């Protein structure tokens, strides 16, 4: 939603003035390297950074274009240590598809200068990437003998990469290789889970759990990289970042899993803060005014445009928006459990007017 991205950009600009040096978005971590190269070093063009650096088609969103352009301008006159960086923390998957791990593992092989036939082990990319490979266990290559040999080769690459760490000529290139290897290993785990025969709800739930674990691994890696420079802002759906176990009900699916936020919060403690996002009304989404006794209703009584507020109590979950139609998942007790604050948008149209 444009208003959400606009507020994200504005908040990150303010936080940069308070010592934040990085932002992580819910996009493929490997793809985001291209966007980070642009904002930190001016590599390539803005259009290329948006087309290659964002997964899920989010490079077409105007708010992301504005974010990259602003970050590049901010970094232009600053020394490397003070430049802002942009990361993705998602796995390279979509809702019902996931790519072959081949190119990620080949990147590491080439970095290490090894003679290893990854393509021969992986086979045709299409057999990994088609929807059936994720949604139909019988069509998945994830449990095949070739996949087993590919996992063994990936583990060998991991050992070799770790052995190279201390003598690596470029720390940045070593981290880039490790990022590719993390993605490749994650895809092998994801495809292995897809090969388990389960009914549809359980299948999607297990895949969401694997994705959540991969997101958490990426966030912990990024925290280790960025913490010496300053705090990091993470922008994503509530379901991925909340501190309580995740959950989502969409159409006939009722999914519950341990999400990235719950995993990271358990390991980082008070170094991880979760600000839930809430919405009052949005005509473009078909979301009307919330009832006064809902979480959004209580927040709307205090906030007329947008703002940060303490977590409200003594309220109920609103039932008027249908998530699969509007795209909005109302605030509920599970989402707010452990939240440190709520960023509430009363009406996106009012936010746009306030910033005009």
């Amino acid at each position: 939603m444009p208003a959400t991205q606009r507020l994200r950009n504005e908040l990150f600009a303010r936080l940069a003035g308070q010592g934040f040096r990085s932002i992580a978005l819910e996009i493929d971590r490997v793809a985001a390297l291209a966007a980070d190269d642009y904002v930190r070093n001016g590599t390539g063009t803005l259009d290329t950074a948006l087309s290659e650096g964002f997964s899920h088609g989010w490079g077409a969103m105007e708010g992301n274009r504005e974010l990259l352009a602003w970050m590049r301008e901010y970094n232009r006159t600053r020394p490397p240590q003070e430049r802002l960086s942009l990361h993705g923390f998602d796995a390279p998957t979509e809702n019902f598809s996931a790519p072959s791990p081949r190119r990620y593992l080949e990147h590491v092989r080439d970095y290490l200068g090894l003679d290893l036939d990854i393509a021969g082990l992986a086979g045709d990319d299409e057999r990994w990437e088609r929807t059936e490979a994720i949604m139909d266990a019988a069509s998945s290559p994830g449990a095949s003998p070739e996949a087993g040999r590919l996992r063994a080769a990936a583990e060998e690459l991991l050992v070799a990469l770790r052995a190279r760490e201390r003598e690596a000529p470029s720390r940045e290139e070593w981290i880039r290789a490790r990022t590719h290897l993390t993605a490749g290993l994650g895809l092998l785990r994801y495809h292995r889970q897809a090969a388990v025969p389960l009914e549809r709800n359980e299948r999607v739930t297990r895949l969401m759990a694997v994705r959540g674990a991969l997101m958490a691994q990426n966030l912990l890696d990024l925290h280790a990289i960025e913490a010496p420079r300053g705090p990091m802002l993470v922008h994503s759906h509530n379901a991925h970042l909340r501190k309580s176990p995740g959950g989502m009900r969409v159409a006939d699916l009722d999914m519950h899993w341990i999400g990235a936020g719950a995993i990271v919060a358990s390991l980082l403690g008070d170094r991880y803060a979760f600000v839930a996002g809430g919405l009052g009304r949005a005509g473009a989404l078909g979301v009307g005014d919330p009832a006064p006794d809902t979480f959004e209703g209580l927040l709307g009584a205090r906030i007329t445009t947008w703002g940060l507020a303490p977590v409200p109590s003594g309220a109920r979950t609103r039932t008027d928006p249908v998530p699969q139609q509007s795209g909005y998942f109302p605030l509920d007790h599970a989402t707010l459990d452990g939240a440190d604050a709520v960023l509430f948008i009363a009406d996106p149209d009012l936010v746009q007017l306030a910033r005009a």
Side-chain angles (χ1 to χ4, degrees):
M1 189 165 59
T4 302
Q5 294 183 3
R6 188 171 293 114
L7 286 176
R8 174 202 65 190
N9 296 351
E10 180 174 321
L11 288 171
F12 183 51
R14 295 183 187 183
L15 292 171
Q18 301 298 318
F20 278 65
R21 290 290 175 265
S22 58
I23 183 170
L25 307 179
E26 188 190 325
I27 56 176
D28 173 14
R29 186 179 173 191
V30 172
L33 293 171
D36 187 51
D37 286 342
Y38 173 77
V39 300
R40 284 195 300 115
N41 305 313
T43 304
T45 65
L46 176 58
D47 286 339
T48 300
L50 288 164
S51 63
E52 297 181 1
F54 284 77
S55 56
H56 315 317
W58 292 351
M61 296 179 177
E62 187 60 29
N64 289 329
R65 172 177 288 273
E66 293 172 358
L67 176 65
L68 263 60
W70 176 80
M71 291 179 69
R72 176 61 199 140
E73 188 59 31
Y74 182 98
N75 288 337
R76 194 178 301 277
T77 59
R78 286 173 168 79
Q81 187 61 20
E82 295 181 11
R83 293 175 190 169
L84 304 177
S85 57
L86 182 142
H87 302 287
F89 72 95
D90 203 354
T93 63
E94 298 297 339
N95 286 337
F96 301 109
S97 66
S100 166
R102 175 192 56 78
R103 72 179 184 90
Y104 303 93
L105 301 181
E106 286 182 338
H107 177 97
V108 186
R109 177 204 62 191
D110 294 344
Y111 171 80
L112 294 170
L114 300 178
D115 182 14
L116 187 60
D117 183 14
I118 299 295
L121 292 173
D124 184 14
D125 287 348
E126 193 273 337
R127 72 185 188 124
W128 299 83
E129 296 171 355
R130 56 187 181 148
T131 299
E132 293 82 0
I134 297 301
M135 301 310 297
D136 175 21
S139 301
S140 170
S144 65
E146 294 83 4
R149 290 193 287 271
L150 198 59
R151 281 190 289 273
E155 293 294 342
E156 292 179 8
L157 289 174
L158 179 60
V159 172
L161 186 64
R162 286 174 174 167
R164 182 75 62 88
E165 180 175 7
R166 294 186 63 181
E167 62 183 41
S170 166
R171 177 68 178 173
E172 184 170 339
E173 289 303 313
W174 185 89
I175 291 176
R176 186 177 292 257
R178 187 184 65 180
T179 299
H180 279 78
L181 184 53
T182 298
L185 285 166
L187 284 169
L188 285 166
R189 296 186 184 105
Y190 196 81
H191 281 288
R192 179 65 184 86
Q193 179 60 56
V196 179
L198 297 167
E199 57 87 20
R200 186 168 181 267
N201 192 85
E202 185 66 14
R203 165 176 293 279
V204 178
T205 298
R206 295 278 189 92
L207 290 172
M208 290 295 289
V210 173
R211 182 186 175 199
L214 298 176
M215 284 181 161
Q217 181 180 7
N218 283 329
L219 284 174
L220 292 168
D221 283 350
L222 293 172
H223 174 263
I225 293 169
E226 291 289 358
R229 298 201 311 135
M232 177 171 63
L233 175 66
V234 182
H235 183 251
S236 181
H237 195 286
N238 286 338
H240 297 307
L241 297 184
R242 73 190 206 183
K243 293 182 180 180
S244 62
M248 186 177 292
R249 185 188 294 270
V250 181
D252 62 332
L253 297 174
D254 186 12
M255 302 167 287
H256 299 274
W257 71 93
I258 305 298
I263 297 171
V264 173
S266 70
L267 296 172
L268 296 185
D270 60 7
R271 289 174 292 171
Y272 178 76
F274 168 54
V275 178
L279 177 66
R281 62 170 290 123
L285 300 180
V287 177
D289 291 314
D293 62 339
T294 63
F295 291 111
E296 288 87 347
L298 291 182
L299 290 164
R302 290 179 284 172
I303 298 172
T304 57
T305 55
W306 71 274
L308 285 168
V311 177
S313 60
R316 67 176 177 86
T317 301
R318 66 189 296 189
T319 57
D320 52 306
V322 179
Q324 59 264 35
Q325 295 176 3
S326 66
Y328 178 63
F329 290 76
L331 294 173
D332 56 22
H333 291 280
T335 298
L336 296 175
D337 181 20
D340 296 276
V342 180
L343 175 62
F344 182 71
I345 302 175
D347 188 327
D349 291 338
L350 297 179
V351 173
Q352 291 171 8
L353 290 174
R355 292 200 40 150

